Amino acid sequence: MSGDESARTALARRLRELRDSRWPGLRVTQAQLRDAFGVSVPLISSWESTHLIKIPPVHRLEKYAAFFATRRSLANGHARVLPLSDMTAEELAEHRALLDELIRLRKNALRFQGAESSDPAPDALHEGPWHFADGEPITIICSQIPHDEREKITYADPSSPDYIELYKYSDLDSLFELWGHVRAANPHSLVTLRATEDLRADDLTTHVVLLGGVDYNEVTAYMLSRIELPVRQVPDWEGERGPYFEVDEGGETHRHYTVTSGSGDGVRLTEDVGFFYRGVNPDNTSHTLTICNGMHSRGVYGVVRALTDARFRDRNTAYLRDRFREAEAYSILTRVRVQGRVAVTPDWTVASYRLHEWPGPLHGA
C-alpha cells in the first residue's frame, strides 16, 4: 500500500480496529454502535470502508472517542455514550487522546479526498452545533410580538385578507436565518416552528431551540429558571441605562449593557449584547436545549449568525469545540456590534467579542 493510500484509508482502518479490538476479549458490533450513536448500520459500515471512502464529520468522531474511552460504554450489555460529566479523570484523558488522534486522521483523509470532492461545504455544515442526530425532532420556539402591538399590524390580523401568520413572531431576521440553516443541516429530521401560544405537549421534549429573551419568550424564562447559570437577563426597560445582562463571577456581580449613540429621538444602537447557551434539555435529558438571546433583536441575530454565517461559523464552531470540549453545558455572552442597520457577526476567536464564558477556564488551562 502506497503512503498516500495508507493516509487516505487510515481513519477507516482505525475505526474498524477500535470496534474489533479496542478491548481484549470484547468485540463491539456495528449494531451496538448504531444503538449508541443513533445512526444506521450502513452508515457505520461506510465509515469503516477502505474502498468507497466516506469520512465521518467531527461530531461523529466525538461520539467514537467518548464511546471507546471507557469500557463502561457497554455496561450490562447496553451500548451507550457516557456524558463527559460522568467520566473519571482517566477516562476523560483517554477521550481527549482518542479524539485528537481521530481528528488528525480525519484531516489527513480529507487532504487526499480534496481532489475527489467538489463540494466540501455540506460536511462543514453538518459538523456544527446546529446538526443533531439523524431523525431526532427539533423544535424552534420563537419569541412573539405582544397582542397589543400585533393589533397595530394590519397583516397580523387573522381577519385581514392579507393575513400573514409570521407577523406574530418578533425575531423574524433570526428566525429566517436559523430556520433555513437547521433544515439544511438536518435533512432527515422533523424541524417544527412554534410560537409560545401554539406549544403542544411534545414540543418541549425534542431538541429545543429558543429565540428571544425573557420578556417576549416565556419559554426562555421558564427554561432559564430550571438551569443553574451565573448569567441573568434583566429587562429593566425603565432603568437609567435600560436592560442588561448580569453575571455573577468571583464573588462579584457585573452588568453588561448595550451601547448607544445620540439622544432622544436620535438615539441609535451601536452595540447589543447577545447570549448563546447549549446544554441538556431539562425536560428530556437525551436531547439538548439551545438559547439564542439578546437585549434587542440585533443581539439575537448576531448570536444566530455566529454559527450560520459561512465566513465565521467554522471558526466559531471550532472555538466552541476546543473551549468547551469537556462541558455538558456552556454559554457565551457576546458583543454584537451594529453598523447602521447591520448586525456584524461576532468572531468568538477574538477575545474582545467575548464578554463572559461559562463554565470558566478548566483547571490548568
Side-chain angles (χ1 to χ4, degrees), residues 51-338:
H51 302 291
L52 183 62
I53 304 296
K54 185 174 179 63
I55 301 173
V58 171
H59 74 275
R60 299 299 188 196
L61 296 183
E62 290 173 344
K63 296 276 191 182
Y64 268 98
F67 185 90
F68 288 104
T70 171
R71 195 159 177 160
R72 293 192 294 140
S73 299
L74 285 172
N76 302 318
H78 175 64
R80 62 187 180 128
V81 176
L82 268 66
L84 298 185
S85 58
D86 290 350
M87 291 186 181
T88 65
E90 292 77 13
E91 289 168 342
L92 286 172
E94 192 63 33
H95 166 266
R96 181 181 290 273
L98 263 178
L99 184 57
D100 288 345
E101 177 195 2
L102 294 177
I103 289 176
R104 175 178 55 79
L105 292 174
R106 181 179 186 274
K107 287 179 179 178
N108 289 338
L110 284 172
R111 201 171 51 195
F112 290 102
Q113 190 191 49
E116 303 170 13
S117 176
S118 60
D119 184 14
D123 187 56
L125 182 70
H126 287 83
E127 289 179 10
W130 293 124
H131 176 74
F132 304 93
D134 288 349
E136 293 185 352
I138 305 154
T139 305
I140 299 175
I141 303 174
C142 190
S143 57
Q144 60 189 74
I145 298 175
H147 283 283
D148 57 344
E149 294 295 326
R150 237 185 286 172
E151 290 175 353
K152 303 174 185 178
I153 306 173
T154 301
Y155 296 135
D157 181 0
S159 64
S160 168
D162 292 318
Y163 170 64
I164 299 174
E165 187 175 9
L166 285 177
Y167 271 101
K168 68 183 177 184
Y169 298 103
S170 68
D171 288 291
L172 283 178
D173 283 351
S174 299
L175 175 58
F176 187 82
E177 175 78 15
L178 186 59
W179 174 262
H181 189 90
V182 171
R183 288 289 302 274
N186 302 275
H188 304 297
S189 297
L190 174 65
V191 183
T192 303
L193 171 62
R194 291 279 188 257
T196 54
E197 64 187 22
D198 300 325
L199 283 178
R200 300 179 183 177
D202 293 337
D203 291 335
L204 294 179
T205 56
T206 65
H207 290 289
V208 172
V209 180
L210 300 177
L211 284 180
V214 298
D215 43 1
Y216 275 19
N217 192 331
E218 63 188 52
V219 183
T220 301
Y222 161 75
M223 287 296 189
L224 287 174
S225 71
R226 302 191 61 201
I227 54 181
E228 294 186 7
L229 282 173
V231 182
R232 291 177 297 279
Q233 183 185 14
V234 182
D236 185 18
W237 296 100
E238 302 302 322
E240 181 179 352
R241 297 183 61 184
Y244 55 90
F245 279 95
E246 188 173 73
V247 175
D248 294 330
E249 188 172 29
E252 298 181 352
T253 299
H254 304 275
R255 293 180 176 181
H256 297 279
Y257 292 89
T258 60
V259 179
T260 59
S261 63
S263 60
D265 293 340
V267 69
R268 293 290 183 270
L269 181 68
T270 59
E271 184 176 292
D272 205 347
V273 182
F275 178 67
F276 180 82
Y277 169 85
R278 165 61 64 81
V280 174
N281 182 344
D283 288 322
N284 182 356
T285 57
S286 69
H287 288 63
T288 60
L289 169 67
T290 309
I291 300 174
C292 297
N293 192 0
M295 283 315 344
H296 299 281
S297 61
R298 299 292 82 190
V300 182
Y301 188 57
V303 167
V304 168
R305 288 279 288 168
L307 296 170
T308 62
D309 186 335
R311 292 183 177 86
F312 291 92
R313 68 189 184 207
D314 288 345
R315 74 180 73 165
N316 285 336
T317 293
Y319 178 80
L320 293 181
R321 183 175 60 247
D322 294 341
R323 171 64 178 81
F324 301 112
R325 178 178 293 175
E326 298 179 4
E328 187 176 61
Y330 60 87
S331 69
I332 287 187
L333 196 64
T334 180
R335 301 180 192 275
V336 178
R337 296 191 170 97
V338 181

